[in-house]
Amino acid sequence: MRNRRYVARRGPMLVLPDNKGTRAFRNIFGLDLANVNALNLLHLAPGGHVGRFVIWTKGAFEQLDAIFGTFTEASAVKKGFVLPAPMLTNTDVTRILQSEEVRRVLKPKKLQPKKASGRRQPTNGIKNRRLRLRLNPYVKKETQAAKSLRNPKNRDARRKAKSERIAKVKKSLTKAQKKNKK
């Protein structure tokens, strides 16, 4: 971005039929001069933005048909050049796009499925029993005894079952230690 610190906006542009009289406009700041025989699109629409204020003299405007021709006859200056015919006869594009004929041909709008409000869906099937059963419905359902153990009212039964499991594990560990000593 060297030398881009001060950027001056483009001002109006004056189009003249020839180079006569250009010295009269040289001192006006921001006014650009152009010859009708050497028009440049980069000067007419700087930066690709159409809509620059362009002042045409009467002589320059009369020369346009000779230079570029018309839609029906070719140019006198540029050999074989004919202005391209406009593709649209009706330039109201928004009305065309919203017309019933175009809408009938288009695919219908895809509606996104509604998200369930409230609780978030569980994602881990290893930790979540309901999701695990939904993912694999062929897993055997838990027995009534296991369900009853999970009930908070059966806390004593759970503690007893846990202590029995721990005792069984300790017993198997002591047997293994005795075998290792022999």
Side-chain angles (χ1 to χ4, degrees), residues 22-50:
T22 55
R23 290 180 66 190
F25 296 103
R26 279 192 315 191
N27 202 24
I28 300 174
F29 179 75
L31 182 73
D32 293 333
L33 301 174
N35 190 337
V36 74
N37 295 317
L39 287 176
N40 188 344
L41 186 63
L42 296 175
H43 293 293
L44 287 170
H49 302 290
V50 181

Side-chain angles (χ1 to χ4, degrees), residues 79-139:
K79 185 178 177 186
F81 181 81
V82 179
L83 277 178
M87 297 295 285
L88 291 174
T89 55
N90 183 5
T91 56
D92 192 5
V93 179
T94 54
R95 195 184 67 157
I96 292 170
L97 291 176
Q98 293 174 355
S99 68
E100 192 60 38
E101 293 85 12
V102 173
R103 286 184 176 207
R104 219 178 291 131
V105 178
L106 295 176
K107 291 181 182 177
K109 183 179 177 182
K110 291 184 180 179
L111 298 175
Q112 291 184 348
K114 290 184 179 178
K115 292 182 180 179
S117 61
R119 287 193 332 151
R120 194 175 53 86
Q121 286 289 92
T123 55
N124 191 347
I126 296 170
K127 291 181 180 177
N128 192 296
R129 184 175 49 87
R130 285 186 184 149
L131 181 61
R132 184 172 57 242
L133 290 174
R134 196 171 41 178
L135 291 173
N136 188 2
Y138 299 105
V139 170

